Amino acid sequence: MSFVDKKKVILAVQSVLCILLVVLLSITAIDLYRTGSAAKAADPLVWVYTREASVSALTSRLPIFILAVAVTVAAAVMGVRGNETSFTDAEIIRDLAVSRVKEPTAEMTAERSKQKRLHIMGWALFGLCMIPILLYITDPAHFALSDAAGLETVMGALVRSILPWSVIGLGCLCVCFILRDKSMARETELAKNCEKVKKSAEGGKSDTKVLNIIRLAVLALSVAVIVMGAFNGSMMDVLNKAIRICTECVGLG
Amino acid sequence: MDNANKKETTKSMRPTKRRLIQLYAALLYNAHLKGFIEGEIYVGKTKIACVPGFNCYSCPGAVGACPLGALQNSLSASGKTVGFYVFGIIMLYGLILGRTVCGWLCPLGLIQELLHKIPTFKIPKSRITRAFSYLKYVILAVFVIAVPLWYGIKHDMAIPGFCKYICPAGTFEGAMALLANAKNGSYYKMLGILFTRKFVIMLIIGLLCVFFYRGFCRFICPLGAIYGLFSKIAVIGVKVDRSRCTNCGACVRCCGMDVRKVGDHECINCAKCMDVCSAGAISVRAGNITLKAPEKGCADDKPDSPKKRITMERVIWGIALAVLAFALIWFNFLDPAGRKETEETAPVVTGYEEGHQLQDFTIDTIGGGSFTLSEYRGKVVYINLWATYCGPCVQELPYFDEFCKAHSDDVEVLAVHSSVIAKTTPEEFLSDKTYSIKFAADTSDDLVWNIVNGTSAMPQTIVVDRNGIVIYNEHGSISPEVIEALYSKASHG
C-alpha cells in the first residue's frame, strides 16, 4: 500500500472515530439524563446525574477514545496530517486577470455588472431574512415570562423563530456567492483573451492620517468610557460577577 | 516516506512562535493553577480586569474576567447602570489588537487549532463557509445583546444568553473543570437538562473544529465578531504593502479563515500568509513599527541585524517569562485572596452538612427586625443564598414565596443576599415586590455564608428541619417540586 493510500485509510478511520466518539458521548449524556429524570420524577430528591453513573458510562466509551488517541499518535509518527484547507478565490483570480487587460470588453463589463447585481441581491435577501429576526427580538412580548415553563419555553421559541430565517438568509447569500463566482470565472476567461498591458505598481498610500485621527478618537472614547465605568460602578459589577460562579451560565444548572 | 518528507514533518511539528504565545496567554489567563486542585475559582481583585481572549471566568484557573461574559452581564444591568467599563475595555482591545486577539491570545482559539490537528479529512473553506461566517453576527445580536438586554430591563434578571445556551468555553473550562474535581461532588446534584444540552453542544462544536479550521471562531464566536468590527482601525495587525502586492492570491488561498483579503474582518492576523507571499508584501505592524518583517524586507524598513533581532527577542521572552513566573507564584502561593479562602473555609466544615445541627445565628432583616434561627425551632426553615445579579437566584424567589404562603404556619424562608454589594441593592430590588418571605443581606464578614458553607456558586439552598438539623444543603437552581419534596422529607424524615 502506498503512502497516499495509507494516509487516506488513516484519515478515514480517524474521521469515523471522531464522529463515533461524539455520537456515543452525546448518547451517553442523553441516556444518563433520561434515566436520571425518570428516577427524579418518582422521587424529586434523587439526582439526575451521579458521579458514579457518569464515570461508569464514560469508562465504557474509553476504548474508542484510546483508539482515537492511538490513531492520532500513529498518524503523527507516520507523518500523516489532515489535508490542508485551500480555496482558490474566483475574485482574486479575476482581479489578477483583469489587472493585465488593456481595455475591458463589453462582455466583461456585462459580467461585472451581473456580479454587482448578484452581490447586491445576495445581501438584500440576507437583509430581508434578518427583518423577521429583528422584529422578533425587538418585540418585548416574545420575552415575557408568563407561562409555567418560563425561560426555557421562551428560549425554545426564540431559537425556532430565528434559526430558519438565519439558515434561509445565509443560504440565499451562499447561492448568490456561487452564481457570482461563476460569473467571475467567465469574466476571467474573457480577460485571458484580451490584449494585455504591463502591470504598473499601485501608487497611492492609504490615507493613514485619517486612520490615525479615527484611532485617536476611539482611544480617547474608550479611555473616557473606562473612567466613567470606574465611577458608575460597572467596574465593580464585573468583579462581583467574576468572583461568583453563576452555575446556570456554565451549564451546571 | 522519504527523508525530505520526514524532515518537513518534524519541522512542521515544532511549535511556532505563535503557538508559544498562545500557550503563554492561556497559562497567564489561568495562572491560578491550584484552583484546579482545590476545585474553587479565584476570588481576588485581578478579576476586575477583562482578559482580551475568550476565557471563562468560572474556570478554576481564571485570574481575569471574560470580556463576553462581562459584556452580557453589563447589558443585563442596563436598567440600572450603563456598563461603560466593559464597553471601554472591549473598544480598547479592539482598537489596539483587533482580531490579533483571536490569532494569538485566545485560549479557545488554541484549543480549536489543536483539535484541527487531529488527522481527519478536512472540509475546505468555500463560498458556503464564507456565507456562514456571518452567522456569528446573528448570534451576537440575539444571544449576546437582545436576550440579556430584554431580561435585564424588563424582568430585572441576568440572563447571559450566549453563556447559558451556547458557550462551549463555559462548559469545558467552567462546568467540566469543576465537575472533574472530586471535592465538587455535590455539584452533580445540579445537573439536568441544561447540562445535557450544553454538553452535547460542546461536543458538536468540538467536532466542528476537528473538520473545519477554527469552526467556532469562524461561524459562532461573538467576541471575534466584535473584534472584527475593529479590523480596519486596529493598530496591531497584518498589513499589505500595495505597491509590492502582485494580486496573486496566495495569501487568501493558504488562509484557513474565510477572508476576502488580508486584514479584513475575518483575518485573525496569524501571519501565516507571510510565508507564502513571494513578493514580500505582507508584514505584521503596530502602526508604523514593523513587528515581523518578510524575509525580503519592506522597502521602507531598515532591517535590523540578525544578532540584534535575536537579542531583542530574547529580552522580550525573558521579560514575558518573568511575568508569567511572578503570576504563577503570586496567584498560587502569595495572594491573600487565595489564602483567605483556604483559611476561612476550613473552620466552617462542621455544622452545615446533612445531619449536622446548624449553628445558630442572628441577622438583621431588610425592612427592620431580625432573624434568629433558634427562634424557629419547630418549623422547617429554608435558607436561600442569592444575589440580585444572579439570574437563576432571582428566578427561583417566586417559588419560595408561593411555597411559604402555602405553608405559612409551618415554614419559614430566609433569603440571604451575598455580602458582595451589587449595583442593584437587595432593598432596591425588593422595593416593587411583595414577597412574604424574609430577606437579609449578609454581614461584611459573611456571617451566614460561613455558617452554611456558602461558596461562590449561587444560588444555594439549605433546609433545616424542626430540630435545627440540616437535611439539605445544595448549590444550583431549585424547582417547586424539590422545595415541596424537601418539606415532606423534613416532615416525615
Side-chain angles (χ1 to χ4, degrees):
Chain A
M1 198 189 274
S2 71
F3 177 69
V4 177
D5 292 333
K6 272 185 199 168
K7 179 180 170 174
K8 275 184 183 170
V9 170
I10 288 176
L11 293 182
V13 168
Q14 188 68 315
S15 301
V16 171
L17 280 176
C18 284
I19 295 169
L20 189 67
L21 198 60
V22 166
V23 170
L24 285 176
L25 285 174
S26 302
I27 290 172
T28 306
I30 293 166
D31 198 37
L32 280 171
Y33 170 70
R34 291 177 70 174
T35 315
S37 297
K40 198 176 176 66
D43 179 0
L45 294 181
V46 166
W47 298 8
V48 175
Y49 282 85
T50 60
R51 194 180 186 88
E52 295 71 29
S54 306
V55 170
S56 154
L58 289 176
T59 310
S60 65
R61 310 301 185 212
L62 207 57
I64 294 168
F65 178 74
I66 292 169
L67 188 61
V69 172
V71 173
T72 304
V73 172
V77 171
M78 290 170 70
V80 174
R81 304 176 71 193
N83 45 341
E84 288 299 313
T85 51
S86 169
F87 172 51
T88 311
D89 196 320
E91 195 171 350
I92 289 169
I93 298 170
R94 181 206 61 182
D95 287 347
L96 186 61
V98 172
S99 67
R100 292 168 186 159
V101 170
K102 194 174 182 183
E103 189 72 42
T105 62
E107 290 106 314
M108 282 171 68
T109 317
E111 288 295 343
R112 186 59 73 98
S113 23
K114 190 178 172 185
Q115 287 156 30
K116 264 187 190 166
R117 281 199 302 277
L118 282 165
H119 182 74
I120 294 167
M121 197 168 82
W123 282 107
L125 287 171
F126 180 74
L128 275 176
C129 292
M130 292 301 112
I131 291 172
I133 295 179
L134 207 62
L135 290 175
Y136 191 95
I137 61 173
T138 49
D139 185 353
H142 292 133
F143 294 91
L145 296 173
S146 51
D147 63 346
L151 192 63
E152 292 300 304
T153 314
V154 174
M155 296 313 292
L158 174 78
V159 171
R160 280 194 299 279
S161 304
I162 65 161
L163 197 65
W165 286 112
S166 303
V167 173
I168 293 168
L170 294 169
C172 291
L173 202 59
C174 209
V175 169
C176 289
F177 278 174
I178 291 166
L179 293 174
R180 197 164 147 246
D181 266 12
K182 285 188 176 169
S183 170
M184 281 177 190
R186 279 196 295 275
E187 192 188 343
T188 309
E189 281 306 309
L190 291 167
K192 279 178 186 170
N193 301 323
C194 286
E195 194 186 347
K196 305 288 189 297
V197 287
K198 198 170 182 289
K199 182 184 177 282
S200 60
E202 283 174 49
K205 277 189 177 179
S206 60
D207 197 354
T208 48
K209 202 177 170 186
V210 177
L211 192 64
N212 284 339
I213 291 169
I214 296 171
R215 280 174 178 164
L216 275 175
V218 176
L219 178 68
L221 182 68
S222 50
V223 171
V225 163
I226 291 171
V227 172
M228 281 162 76
F231 285 105
N232 84 339
S234 60
M235 191 188 235
M236 289 311 290
D237 283 351
V238 171
L239 179 68
N240 291 342
K241 195 71 189 176
I243 60 169
R244 303 271 183 215
I245 301 170
C246 171
T247 54
E248 279 206 347
C249 308
V250 295
L252 285 171
Chain B
M1 195 168 53
D2 56 20
N3 279 341
N5 248 345
K6 266 186 185 168
K7 263 186 185 175
E8 189 59 37
T9 308
T10 319
K11 195 183 167 190
S12 68
M13 284 171 77
R14 240 182 271 156
T16 57
K17 267 183 207 158
R18 187 168 74 91
R19 184 76 71 238
L20 292 175
I21 291 172
Q22 283 177 310
L23 280 167
Y24 176 85
L27 198 53
L28 195 62
Y29 294 171
N30 296 291
H32 183 240
L33 296 177
K34 72 172 182 181
F36 292 102
I37 300 160
E38 291 175 353
E40 275 287 332
I41 65 163
Y42 180 67
V43 293
K45 295 268 187 228
T46 55
K47 275 197 162 175
I48 208 163
C50 294
V51 295
F54 212 126
N55 194 66
C56 183
Y57 46 37
S58 290
C59 173
V63 294
C66 169
L68 202 65
L71 175 65
Q72 291 171 83
N73 285 308
S74 292
L75 291 170
S76 295
S78 294
K80 307 283 177 194
T81 180
V82 183
F84 285 127
Y85 173 67
V86 183
F87 301 152
I89 285 276
I90 291 178
M91 254 199 288
L92 197 63
Y93 285 145
L95 173 71
I96 297 170
L97 296 160
R99 289 204 75 179
T100 304
V101 172
C102 309
W104 296 75
L105 302 171
C106 180
L108 204 59
L110 171 67
I111 293 171
Q112 289 177 81
E113 287 183 9
L114 294 179
L115 281 173
H116 193 67
K117 284 204 171 292
I118 294 174
T120 60
F121 290 118
K122 305 295 176 194
I123 300 171
K125 63 176 182 175
S126 64
R127 285 291 181 193
I128 298 169
T129 59
R130 188 174 284 176
F132 272 82
S133 70
Y134 292 97
L135 180 66
K136 58 180 171 284
Y137 292 95
V138 179
I139 292 174
L140 171 69
V142 176
F143 288 95
V144 178
I145 299 172
V147 170
L149 211 53
W150 274 120
Y151 285 106
I153 294 171
K154 292 280 172 188
H155 299 275
D156 225 349
M157 283 166 63
I159 307 286
F162 182 78
C163 292
K164 188 172 173 181
Y165 294 101
I166 300 172
C167 184
T171 319
F172 182 68
E173 296 176 7
M176 303 294 284
L178 288 167
L179 287 171
N181 195 302
K183 289 177 185 170
N184 293 327
S186 65
Y187 284 9
Y188 277 82
K189 268 190 186 177
M190 290 183 240
L191 307 185
I193 181 67
L194 187 72
F195 175 76
T196 312
R197 200 167 45 207
K198 278 204 77 180
F199 183 72
V200 173
I201 288 172
M202 182 192 75
L203 290 174
I204 292 169
I205 290 175
L207 190 66
L208 186 79
C209 298
V210 171
F211 291 101
F212 291 87
Y213 177 72
R214 280 180 168 254
F216 174 77
C217 197
R218 282 160 68 192
F219 309 127
I220 300 168
C221 182
L223 191 61
I226 296 171
Y227 286 145
L229 301 174
F230 291 89
S231 59
K232 277 199 166 53
I233 59 163
V235 177
I236 296 175
V238 174
K239 313 286 174 197
V240 180
D241 181 353
R242 293 282 161 209
S243 63
R244 285 176 161 236
C245 178
T246 58
N247 282 333
C248 68
C251 47
V252 174
R253 231 179 0 257
C254 82
C255 180
M257 302 296 287
D258 294 294
V259 294
R260 283 168 65 87
K261 58 181 181 183
V262 174
D264 70 6
H265 61 100
E266 288 300 316
C267 175
I268 55 168
N269 299 309
C270 67
K272 196 176 153 190
C273 47
M274 278 181 69
D275 302 334
V276 296
C277 181
S278 55
I282 304 171
S283 57
V284 181
R285 285 169 164 261
N288 292 328
I289 304 160
T290 305
L291 300 176
K292 192 179 175 192
E295 280 177 16
K296 291 188 173 188
C298 293
D300 55 344
D301 281 339
K302 291 172 194 158
D304 296 331
S305 67
K307 203 177 167 186
K308 193 179 169 190
R309 190 171 51 84
I310 290 167
T311 314
M312 183 72 97
E313 268 183 23
R314 281 185 184 163
V315 169
I316 292 170
W317 272 111
I319 295 168
L321 289 174
V323 169
L324 181 64
F326 174 76
L328 289 171
I329 294 167
W330 173 261
F331 290 116
N332 293 291
F333 303 107
L334 304 176
D335 187 13
R339 283 188 295 165
K340 189 180 157 206
E341 186 72 9
T342 321
E343 284 160 11
E344 279 184 359
T345 49
V348 195
V349 173
T350 55
Y352 56 78
E353 287 177 356
E354 288 179 26
H356 288 166
Q357 180 101 33
L358 193 68
Q359 188 190 319
D360 192 23
F361 63 86
T362 302
I363 190 164
D364 292 337
T365 52
I366 292 169
S370 64
F371 179 99
T372 303
L373 181 65
S374 54
E375 285 178 5
Y376 295 95
R377 285 281 156 81
K379 278 188 169 188
V380 180
V381 179
Y382 286 67
I383 300 168
N384 179 248
L385 305 186
W386 73 295
T388 52
Y389 52 81
C390 165
C393 305
V394 173
Q395 216 178 331
E396 67 185 23
L397 286 176
Y399 305 156
F400 283 108
D401 188 50
E402 286 292 313
F403 172 72
C404 192
K405 280 175 185 159
H407 303 277
S408 54
D409 297 339
D410 196 27
V411 165
E412 202 58 53
V413 179
L414 175 70
V416 185
H417 191 279
S418 158
S419 64
V420 177
I421 301 303
K423 188 70 192 169
T424 309
T425 63
E427 289 85 354
E428 283 170 352
F429 176 82
L430 295 167
S431 61
D432 58 343
K433 294 175 179 68
T434 53
Y435 288 137
S436 56
I437 58 180
K438 288 187 168 61
F439 284 91
D442 206 2
T443 54
S444 56
D445 57 346
D446 294 328
L447 170 74
V448 179
W449 233 262
N450 284 334
I451 288 173
V452 301
N453 192 34
T455 68
S456 47
M458 278 190 292
Q460 185 175 343
T461 302
I462 303 95
V463 182
V464 181
D465 71 6
R466 292 183 177 83
N467 301 315
I469 306 294
V470 178
I471 60 159
Y472 183 86
N473 187 350
E474 297 302 337
H475 307 278
S477 300
I478 195 162
S479 65
E481 293 76 27
V482 173
I483 296 174
E484 200 63 54
L486 287 166
Y487 176 64
S488 303
K489 188 179 172 183
S491 304
H492 306 113

